[in-house]
Amino acid sequence: MTRGAIKNSLFPLLGVAVILVVWQLYTDVFAISRIVLPSPLDIFDACAANWDALLRQSWPTFSESVLGFLLAVVVGIPFAVCVASSRILNLTLYPILIATQSIPKVAIAPIILVWFGLGMQSKLVIAFLVAFFPIVVDTAAGIRATPPALLELARSLRASPLQIFLKIQFPAALPFIFAGAKVAVTLAVIGAVIGEFVGSVSGLGNLLLSANSQLDSALAWAALVWLSALGILLFAAVVVAERIVMPWSDAGHR
Amino acid sequence: MGAATREDICSGALTPRASVPFGHFKDVHQAFAQSGRAPLVAIENITFDLQAGHLVTLLGPSGCGKTTFLKIVGGLLSASSGTIQINGRDVQEPQPDFGVVFQQANLMPWRTVLANVLFPMEILRRADAEAVRAAKQMLTLVGLAGFEHAYPSQLSGGMQQRVALCRALIHKPKLLLMDEPFGALDELTRMEMQDLLLDIRRKTGATVMFVTHSISEAVYISDAIVVFSRRPAVVADYINVDLPYPRASEMRYLPAFTALEHRAGRALGITR
Ligand SMILES: Nc1ncnc2c1ncn2[C@@H]1O[C@H](COP(=O)(O)OP(=O)(O)OP(=O)(O)O)[C@@H](O)[C@H]1O
Ligand SMILES: [Mg+2]
């Protein structure tokens, strides 16, 4: 990490620190009930006291989100390739995709639970469903945005359709694919938690719900903090993957 | 300058193989269909011959159909009518043994300089160790040794255009088609690139068809200039450039040079 990057990450940390201090002072000075709004120190205590439970419950949520996301990548990219390269498939599939996307996932979550049960599969499916759309839309957009001059160059050498796809269209679409993946991975966590809210026996969403029902607000908030940490971690993983897969993307401005 | 020397060149004084033209274009006509209107005639009638080993420039006003004609010669566009022959065979589809350079370098940002140069060899399934060696040699020739593993975004516009030139030449094309390749460069870089092109052509013996807007560029690099008229294009003049080789920048001030510029300007209708 360069000195500039360290400096840049100091500012958000400073922002968070200011919010935490104001929050703590507010709850202390106005003597806010811990049930209504636990203070940052309360939440920290809850994290420390329940770290093993939090860690244990993170695992199902983590694997549901990651597997749902990966499934969306594995299914979504080929789907997008078909849609982007065939007019007929585009006309047939795109309206269906948009129609399904406009159904609120919270509304179909109960149905999916009926189909896939209370276990991990149902959450995985919901995470997959929410992550699928941004991956498909961005991948298709990326393939369509391939510079025409590069396609002409390939044509002048009589490249085969497979060569054109592998050597030009796919790499040209990579920045778009990663943009979609960043959105998708955070959505996947939300999808997994929606599934856990609707019906589950484990996971951070489950923990949050049960802490709430016992009026243990500090623990509920701790689960929330844990969840956002999970989201940030997965987002960061995609960013790292992007840097590895596309080393050229930041080569120009070093 | 003019008819007498023109005859000399056509009779083979500079080109030993001039008897059989390398490229033969006869009555090439191109009209583009327009919805709801009469078709747009880009090229009315283009007829000329291209000698092997020659560098011929197409000079003409903007929008007159130079790019269109170049694409037709490259097989990227099929003409509405006319004969387009290269090496005695009709061109109807893209020819892998041609090289193409566009106004923009059009490098692939995800490939290093070396990998960009090797792209045609990969498509033609000839990217072996020998090709890598040849690519490195070409990059050295254009002054890019040491940049093999840089990405295009790390290069200046002139450097990118040199990479594009290497990429067009790596598979030893019989014909190099260049569409205003130096148009986006500054004057100084442009003159450097002209010398580089002349140098490369001397070393490879490639036949080149080169599109430009610049009269002085056309005179400086060419063996012959085909002047296109305004749309619909016909050949307004065919100018043999009998300046000696090696060309050097001082020649730009010779009376013979300016006389050729003047003639081209007259053909374009900008001087009298
Ligand atoms: N695919 C196309 N469909 C319809 N019209 C076209 C097409 N390609 C070119 N034209 C028209 O043909 C004419 C010649 O275009 P062309 O690009 O060949 O000009 P040019 O001489 O290369 O111009 P410039 O010097 O500005 O690059 C223009 O009027 C253009 O609008
Ligand atoms: Mg043009």
Side-chain angles (χ1 to χ4, degrees):
Chain A
M1 224 193 313
T2 63
R3 191 175 276 180
I6 293 171
K7 250 191 201 162
N8 283 346
S9 55
L10 271 178
F11 288 104
L13 286 179
L14 190 71
V16 170
V18 168
I19 290 171
L20 288 180
V21 169
V22 171
W23 180 354
Q24 182 70 42
L25 288 176
Y26 174 76
T27 49
D28 285 349
V29 170
F30 294 96
I32 305 292
S33 156
R34 295 187 50 183
I35 293 173
V36 177
L37 181 66
S39 75
L41 285 178
D42 293 334
I43 298 168
F44 182 80
D45 286 344
C47 278
N50 299 290
W51 69 269
D52 54 336
L54 285 165
L55 204 61
R56 214 164 347 100
Q57 300 308 324
S58 295
W59 177 245
T61 310
F62 173 81
S63 27
E64 289 152 11
S65 324
V66 170
L67 291 177
F69 166 73
L70 290 180
L71 193 63
V73 169
V74 169
V75 179
I77 291 179
F79 183 87
V81 170
C82 296
V83 166
S85 45
S86 154
R87 224 179 87 81
I88 293 171
L89 282 180
N90 187 21
L91 288 175
T92 324
L93 295 177
Y94 227 64
I96 299 175
L97 181 70
I98 290 171
T100 52
Q101 177 59 20
S102 56
I103 303 172
K105 295 300 168 301
V106 192
I108 47 168
I111 301 170
I112 289 176
L113 253 82
V114 170
W115 288 348
F116 293 93
L118 284 180
M120 241 181 76
Q121 285 105 314
S122 53
K123 284 74 192 178
L124 193 155
V125 170
I126 298 169
F128 162 77
L129 285 177
V130 289
F132 186 66
F133 190 69
I135 300 248
V136 170
V137 170
D138 281 344
T139 306
I143 288 172
R144 289 210 198 90
T146 309
L150 289 182
L151 296 177
E152 183 132 276
L153 174 75
R155 210 157 68 80
S156 77
L157 293 160
R158 273 197 236 158
S160 70
L162 185 66
Q163 282 177 323
I164 291 178
F165 175 71
L166 290 179
K167 290 182 190 289
I168 295 182
Q169 288 173 311
F170 186 70
L174 271 178
F176 290 76
I177 294 177
F178 273 104
K182 283 180 208 161
V183 176
V185 81
T186 46
L187 286 182
V189 178
I190 296 174
V193 172
I194 289 174
E196 290 174 359
F197 272 20
V198 174
S200 62
V201 290
S202 66
L204 284 172
N206 181 277
L207 182 70
L208 204 160
L209 269 193
S210 69
N212 232 6
S213 65
Q214 292 158 24
L215 298 184
D216 188 351
S217 297
L219 180 59
W221 277 83
L224 211 58
V225 170
W226 220 259
L227 262 178
S228 76
L230 183 64
I232 293 171
L233 180 82
L234 293 180
F235 186 87
V238 175
V239 172
V240 169
E242 183 180 23
R243 291 258 165 92
I244 294 171
V245 175
M246 303 175 24
W248 67 87
S249 66
D250 54 359
H253 8 253
R254 214 177 265 154
Chain B
M1 201 62 38
T5 42
R6 187 176 160 188
E7 248 70 277
D8 289 343
I9 293 169
C10 286
S11 68
L14 281 181
T15 49
R17 288 162 292 176
S19 50
V20 184
F22 174 77
H24 175 62
F25 314 109
K26 188 159 164 42
D27 300 329
V28 178
H29 178 91
Q30 176 67 39
F32 289 108
Q34 295 188 117
S35 57
R37 274 185 289 165
L40 181 138
V41 180
I43 298 175
E44 177 73 55
N45 179 332
I46 297 289
T47 300
F48 69 96
D49 282 350
L50 172 62
Q51 305 301 334
H54 266 193
L55 194 159
V56 169
T57 47
L58 310 182
L59 183 66
S62 185
C64 72
K66 303 181 296 296
T67 298
T68 303
F69 185 74
L70 204 71
K71 282 187 180 169
I72 290 172
V73 173
L76 292 165
L77 187 70
S78 60
S80 309
S81 66
T83 310
I84 302 100
Q85 283 182 338
I86 299 288
N87 254 347
R89 89 190 161 204
D90 285 328
V91 176
Q92 275 150 352
E93 49 179 358
Q95 306 292 312
D97 55 356
F98 291 179
V100 192
V101 186
F102 306 97
Q103 180 164 6
Q104 303 300 325
N106 292 327
L107 301 179
M108 296 170 209
W110 56 87
R111 285 179 171 242
T112 61
V113 164
L114 185 64
N116 263 290
V117 175
L118 285 170
F119 176 75
M121 300 304 262
E122 281 178 29
I123 297 299
L124 303 172
R125 304 182 196 286
R126 283 172 15 210
D128 48 13
E130 174 56 37
V132 173
R133 213 170 318 123
K136 286 184 175 163
Q137 221 166 29
M138 301 232 26
L139 285 167
T140 308
L141 180 68
V142 302
L144 284 177
F147 286 94
E148 290 87 350
H149 303 293
Y151 286 104
S153 59
Q154 297 168 307
L155 306 183
S156 72
M159 291 158 92
Q160 292 190 18
Q161 202 54 276
R162 286 177 215 209
V163 177
L165 192 56
C166 292
R167 177 178 65 189
L169 289 165
I170 186 69
H171 56 299
K172 300 201 169 62
K174 288 204 196 78
L175 177 62
L176 185 58
L177 302 171
M178 307 180 82
D179 192 359
E180 297 185 46
F182 311 146
L185 305 178
D186 64 273
E187 188 64 24
L188 212 64
T189 313
R190 196 174 179 151
M191 283 159 73
E192 269 174 32
M193 293 295 287
Q194 291 166 3
D195 285 327
L196 178 67
L197 176 63
L198 287 169
D199 190 40
I200 284 177
R201 200 174 66 94
R202 190 173 54 79
K203 286 178 180 149
T204 60
T207 308
V208 186
M209 191 177 278
F210 188 104
V211 168
T212 182
H213 279 131
S214 158
I215 297 179
S216 73
E217 177 167 82
V219 173
Y220 186 64
I221 63 175
S222 306
D223 293 303
I225 303 171
V226 182
V227 183
F228 279 34
S229 69
R230 290 198 178 283
R231 206 182 64 230
V234 295
V235 178
D237 197 1
Y238 184 97
I239 307 173
N240 275 298
V241 179
D242 48 3
L243 297 169
Y245 288 96
R247 304 267 164 97
S249 265
E250 303 81 68
M251 288 184 187
R252 294 176 197 268
Y253 309 104
L254 292 179
F257 194 97
T258 46
L260 285 164
E261 284 184 323
H262 192 179
R263 180 170 165 192
R266 266 202 313 270
L268 286 170
I270 53 176
T271 48
R272 303 204 297 135

